[in-house]
Amino acid sequence: MRLEVKDLRKSYGSVAVLKGVDLQVEAGKVLAFLGANGAGKSTLLNCISGAQDADKGDILAGGASLRDATPRQVQNLGVAIIYQHFQVFEGLTVAENIFLGHEIKRGGRVDRRAQNGKARELLARLGVSGINPRAELGTLGVGERKVVEIARALRLKPRFLILDEPTASLSDKEAKALHAVIRQAVAKDGIGVIYVTHFLDEIHKVADQVTILRDGRILWTRPVEEVTIADMTDAISPDALLKGIERPGFTPSGPAVLKMDGLSTGFVGPVSAELRAGEVLGIYGLMGAGRTELLECLSGAAPKSSGRIELDGQDVSFAAPREALSQGVALVASDRKEQSLFASFAAVENLLVPHFGRSPMPRLLRDFRREGREFERAARRLNIQPPNPRLQGQRFSGGNAQKIMVGRWLVEGTGLKLLLLDEPTQGVDIGARHELYEALADVKRKGTAVAVASSDATEICLLADKVLVLGRGRQVALIDNPQDEEMLIELAHRAEHSAQQDPAAAEPEAKEMELTQ
Amino acid sequence: MTDTGLTRAAAAADEKAERDWFEIAVAAALPAAIALLALFFYVKAPVFMTANNWIAISVQVSALMTISIPFAMLLMAGKIDLSVGSTLALCGVVAGLSFEPLGITGAVLLTLAVGTGAGLINGVLVSSIGMSPIIVTLGTLTLIRGLAQWLAPNPIFGFPEEFLVIGYERIFGLPVLTWIMLAVIALGAAVMALLPIGPQIVALGVNRRAAFLVGLRVKAIGVGLYAATGFFVAVAALMSISRINSAPAGTLGIGVELSVLTAVLLGGIPFTGGKGSVLRVVLGVWLLGMLSNGLILMNVPTELSLMTTGIVLVVAAGLDVLRARRG
Ligand SMILES: Nc1ncnc2c1ncn2[C@@H]1O[C@H](COP(=O)(O)OP(=O)(O)OP(=O)(O)O)[C@@H](O)[C@H]1O
Ligand SMILES: [Mg+2]
């Protein structure tokens, strides 16, 4: 049994994205499918899943052609896909999302009880016990939503599973659990997997084979034992020299720009930390640790429940992001599609939307030439591909859209004091990640304080001057000059564990159950 | 090698040509429909194609246009105001009742204030408090109509001559009403195309949460758009009553919300907002105006002309689906 892609071609208008791609995935194997942002990975996967029609070529699953099949037919042929963008329903519960379209019924009616129980099992298999099957999906964080999607895909017992950047917003614990689930499904049920990721260090843990897509064609396919991370980096973005980034040698000075004093918001807190001009505070924690909630509170998107926030020595309490912005505080939210991107806006408008009518952009009349220049500068600096200011936001590949989101606050002259970044490099390829880091180093040099939440401990150690470790909403540690990512991971885990023994937070121990029945 | 290279280039060129053609076709559909319709009416009733008739159409649609422009901007921001017809009636009644006690200037100012006030109330309920636009303005639709009828149980008529000139006077060869309409169009187009507020308005309709998070004045813009809609409804009310020289509270502005909605949707603004162009809305209004004018010239009964309008709207919606499919 194999999933085969034959000479697949796909163009958008006059731009050829896939120029004849051949790909085979064997049952019982995991194929890591890699390529730079905009290489066409998602496009290929969308053609397989029936979300898009290829122009030419064929796709075969166990001999049956998937060409021209609808997404539902593809699903019924045993090919499940988890898209880069979320496909979940906020108004439904976790269990309802997992069983949507394939409900467990008893006597003609949906058996919620059975669904909730089964959902709990599936989630436990994924190593997540903190998600309540009855919780409304809208109340979940990004990482948790991804887990729900994965549970939904596995619930259908597919023969082939396609994952487009599943770990982009997962922390290392959930990523590990996901790897285990995938390896197990591969070993036991012999499913074949296509796995797209920009985290090259997970390849050796999860994949059997590596395929590189470049310029719309397959560059090479090799067994995982025969490739090193350097090989892959070089193949994905040959220009991104492996120059090993260093934390910018810049000594933060002066009084604190931001001071959190016993700050609490929702289930998060109390948190106390200080941040000086030009300093980067990393915020690390596992999924559900409260990273996003803390940043939202600082940005005025969520109210604080107690404690103080001081900005430049002034006690502040923002009722809305607008107020925060007027004091020089801005946020790049982590959920790009729902909270950040304006899908139908041209790239240049997406980039500049926060700045229209305020400095540094003209107050009264729009200056289109100026806007064009700003986009050009951002595109050059962050290597936004294609560098087309008129292309709609939704037409950019995930990583390139993300560069635009971060680029919003790299516009010169906005007078930012504090930049809040939630998973800023999600979906960004290895080469472009370096460019983003360099841009952030620049921000730092200009004296803006930065708070960056990330589920990637390596990234935190690379960027941060100090790290705030959160565990289930509590401040676990505040570490100066972090070097040791293992220690961060360890701390975060331990916090989770001790919180679990806390009777208030305890969850009933999930029984060991078979994932696939 | 060369061979396949050439074929591929040719194929790419073909595809580009095909796609561009499709896009041009979609963009041209509305102007083309207007041209074809004009031609059709011209053949059936030659008097249709005279300057005087086109000026007559412009007068007929002037009030509708005046409401449709701000309404379209409201819809782009993802909001809707179903109370425009009732507000039109209320404004007409207020003007009619206040000419005597307040004089023309006073009456006009009061009317504009009442329209803006009604818009503000809608805006505060919807944008500041966060209630559903459809429910709120469906409520105010009934409430304001009731208010208008309570204020003036019987039709008011016989307005001061100095006021009525608005309805029939011409300046530089064009009716005052047409000039007002042109001014509103120019204003709307300029705001959307040249001012920083333009993309901010659309941003609300595209992704409200993101607009909030990047620091846009989400509530203020919403309230402002409702207030502006109310203001221009008041302007339209003055235009209407100056033309018919009466203000019947029971029938003035009945169904205007539907005509406006039809025109705006014809103009390519999706019901869910998030995009659109003022100039295309102008074409949408014009198409409606031409349709009713031409059908009257052809002596088509009103029922039939109503049905035609419905068909045109559904066809336009179909075109939109086609466009969405092609992505
Ligand atoms: N609807 C569209 N119209 C025009 N161009 C598009 C459209 N969708 C995608 N593209 C372009 O196709 C190219 C490939 O995009 P794709 O999303 O497949 O990249 P990707 O390999 O998944 O990248 P990433 O790692 O950033 O997710 C990009 O240059 C993108 O801009
Ligand atoms: Mg992608």
Side-chain angles (χ1 to χ4, degrees), chain A residues 12 17 36-43 84 165 198 386 395-399:
Chain A
Y12 292 109
V17 175
N37 292 134
K41 303 179 296 296
S42 298
T43 305
Q84 189 166 3
E165 300 190 32
H198 289 295
R395 307 233 195 268
F396 282 87
S397 79

Side-chain angles (χ1 to χ4, degrees), chain B residues 8 98 125 131 187 221 227 229 271 281 291:
Chain B
R8 209 169 294 146
S98 51
L125 291 176
M131 296 167 72
L187 184 66
I221 294 174
T229 306
F271 199 73
V281 168
L291 205 58

Side-chain angles (χ1 to χ4, degrees), chain A residues 10-13 15-18 33-46 52 84-85 164-165 196-198 213 336 385-386 391-403 426-429, chain B residues 19 326-327:
Chain A
K10 171 83 184 169
S11 305
Y12 292 109
V15 183
V17 175
L18 302 176
F33 186 46
L34 311 179
N37 292 134
K41 303 179 296 296
S42 298
T43 305
L44 179 80
L45 303 189
N46 286 337
Q52 266 170 357
Q84 189 166 3
H85 299 301
D164 197 355
E165 300 190 32
V196 174
T197 183
H198 289 295
L213 183 69
R336 183 172 57 239
Q385 288 297 336
L391 194 67
Q392 285 186 354
Q394 63 195 354
R395 307 233 195 268
F396 282 87
S397 79
N400 284 301
Q402 181 64 20
K403 295 177 203 169
Q426 55 174 312
V428 172
D429 73 40
Chain B
R19 185 179 175 83
R326 288 286 295 242

Side-chain angles (χ1 to χ4, degrees), chain B residues 57-69:
Chain B
I57 297 178
S58 79
V59 168
Q60 279 157 17
V61 300
S62 59
L64 184 64
M65 189 78 85
T66 302
I67 303 174
S68 294
I69 302 296

Side-chain angles (χ1 to χ4, degrees), chain B residues 190-204:
Chain B
V191 166
M192 292 312 290
L194 302 177
L195 299 194
I197 192 83
Q200 296 182 355
I201 289 172
V202 187
L204 295 194

Side-chain angles (χ1 to χ4, degrees), chain A residues 337-342, chain B residues 203-212:
Chain A
K337 192 175 159 213
E338 295 294 328
Q339 310 215 313
S340 214
L341 184 73
F342 294 90
Chain B
L204 295 194
V206 178
N207 189 340
R208 201 183 134 87
R209 172 78 182 163
F212 171 72

Side-chain angles (χ1 to χ4, degrees), chain A residues 9 13-14 217 296 301 321-322 325 337-345 356-357 363-366 368 395 408, chain B residues 8 12 15-16 19 192-196 199-200 202-203 206-207 209-217 274 327:
Chain A
R9 285 157 202 267
S14 54
R217 294 196 177 82
E296 281 187 348
R322 170 154 201 88
L325 184 59
K337 192 175 159 213
E338 295 294 328
Q339 310 215 313
S340 214
L341 184 73
F342 294 90
S344 59
F345 267 23
F356 287 128
R363 245 161 241 281
L364 280 177
L365 281 184
R366 285 175 67 182
F368 295 96
R395 307 233 195 268
R408 273 180 190 160
Chain B
R8 209 169 294 146
E15 186 143 357
K16 184 177 166 59
R19 185 179 175 83
M192 292 312 290
L194 302 177
L195 299 194
Q200 296 182 355
V202 187
V206 178
N207 189 340
R209 172 78 182 163
F212 171 72
L213 285 179
V214 297
L216 300 190
R217 278 187 239 104

